[in-house]
Amino acid sequence: MSLIKDKIDPENLPKHVAIIMDGNGRWAKSRGEQRTFGHKNAIDAVRNAINACNEINIPYLTLYTFSSENWSRPAEEVNTLMNLLVETLLLEAEEIFSKGLRMHVIGNLEILPSLVRDQLLRVMELTKENTKGNLVLAISYGSQSEILNAVKSISEDVKEGKVEVENINEKLFENYLYTKDFPPVDLLIRTSGEIRISNFLLWQIAYAELQFLNVLWPDFTKDIFFQCIVDYQNKERRFGMTGEQIKIQ
């Protein structure tokens, strides 16, 4: 039994946690290995995050799996990541399904290798009726591109008379994003000690709590996740209001 988990208030959980899984390469180099060694040893950390969410009933977990900028990395590393993604999906699909989780993917899937895309679609189809929780993988994802594509789509709909300019607001705009069916992010976690967002869910984290951890991703444990939730619960989320206003709501 985790003592940290016991500190969590089940009535004050974030609905949506997003994680920038950073530090695989540095973890590997610190052990005298190639960067790809770090990626291969990061799977347990992914399981820890998924299982932790599942245990305390957080309904949405989004993992920054592969960014649009990651395509510029060395070909060997990209190929390893793609192969590892397929292998992991093959190994974990049954586990994801048995936990009652539904898997979603956001990003530009058209440029993924067909084997990767087919495997992602297979797991999404397998889990589409699950209702226990939602695992969202951001793959070939970049937030600036997502926002630009939303603007282009709205512009097309305005030209075709489907949308009136005066009706464009935050809610309408969100309906053009990959995440239109998901709640906004309440808590964003980044590992490895880096303090930046890296083009991840820029719109969706507008009022998220941000936590930057001095731990490399392969060392991420369930207790670290639970501590992040405890720290989140110790924050007063004001959404632009004063503390006094929040207390009387």
Side-chain angles (χ1 to χ4, degrees):
M1 178 66 71
S2 168
L3 295 177
I4 300 173
K5 181 181 173 183
D6 291 342
K7 298 178 182 178
I8 294 173
D9 177 3
E11 302 300 319
N12 184 27
L13 292 169
K15 292 184 176 65
H16 190 171
V17 175
I19 304 180
I20 300 174
M21 307 179 291
D22 194 20
N24 294 344
R26 274 166 283 172
W27 186 88
K29 286 185 177 181
S30 71
R31 288 159 174 77
E33 301 285 352
Q34 297 295 316
R35 291 175 56 85
T36 52
F37 180 77
H39 298 312
K40 291 174 182 175
N41 281 274
I43 304 305
D44 282 344
V46 173
R47 291 192 192 104
N48 289 337
I50 294 171
N51 290 337
C53 273
N54 193 245
E55 284 182 27
I56 60 175
N57 298 314
I58 291 175
Y60 288 86
L61 172 67
T62 298
L63 301 177
Y64 205 5
T65 308
F66 190 86
S67 75
S68 52
E69 290 78 18
N70 286 157
W71 289 112
S72 62
R73 290 190 175 187
E76 179 185 1
E77 184 174 351
V78 171
N79 290 336
T80 296
L81 284 166
M82 290 296 114
N83 290 333
L84 185 60
L85 180 56
V86 172
E87 292 171 13
T88 303
L89 287 168
L90 286 169
L91 290 172
E92 303 295 328
E94 185 60 36
E95 181 74 7
I96 293 169
F97 177 79
S98 66
K99 281 183 166 60
L101 303 178
R102 180 176 180 180
M103 196 183 84
H104 312 261
V105 181
I106 59 174
N108 184 1
L109 304 190
E110 296 304 315
I111 62 175
L112 288 171
S114 58
L115 182 61
V116 176
R117 187 169 59 251
D118 291 347
Q119 188 62 20
L120 289 168
L121 293 173
R122 186 187 78 83
V123 180
M124 285 192 286
E125 178 65 23
L126 173 69
T127 63
K128 69 179 183 180
E129 303 298 331
N130 287 357
T131 58
K132 181 69 166 54
N134 295 272
L135 173 62
V136 185
L137 302 183
I139 300 175
S140 190
Y141 173 86
S143 188
Q144 290 177 329
S145 294
E146 177 188 25
I147 291 170
L148 283 173
N149 288 336
V151 171
K152 290 175 183 177
S153 296
I154 292 172
S155 299
E156 288 296 323
D157 284 350
V158 168
K159 284 197 295 185
E160 295 176 10
K162 297 177 182 177
V163 171
E164 297 293 332
V165 172
E166 56 270 23
N167 292 333
I168 298 174
N169 55 25
E170 289 90 343
K171 185 63 179 175
L172 183 141
F173 185 82
E174 287 169 357
N175 286 329
Y176 287 81
L177 297 174
Y178 292 133
T179 54
K180 60 185 172 63
D181 296 322
F182 312 149
V185 177
D186 296 306
L187 172 62
L188 173 70
I189 300 167
R190 181 178 186 138
T191 56
S192 87
E194 300 291 350
I195 303 176
R196 56 176 178 266
I197 304 303
S198 296
N199 198 19
F200 184 47
L201 299 175
L202 299 177
W203 178 278
Q204 296 87 344
I205 63 169
Y207 282 99
E209 297 297 323
L210 309 182
Q211 296 187 19
F212 300 98
L213 310 181
N214 287 313
V215 59
L216 301 176
W217 178 246
D219 294 325
F220 190 85
T221 65
K222 286 199 295 183
D223 273 351
I224 291 173
F225 183 90
F226 293 145
Q227 185 61 56
C228 288
I229 301 303
V230 171
D231 292 343
Y232 165 87
Q233 293 183 337
N234 287 330
K235 299 284 187 180
E236 182 181 65
R237 304 186 72 206
R238 296 193 293 271
F239 301 96
M241 294 183 283
T242 67
E244 289 74 17
Q245 286 176 302
I246 293 294
K247 289 173 183 174
I248 63 175
Q249 279 193 325

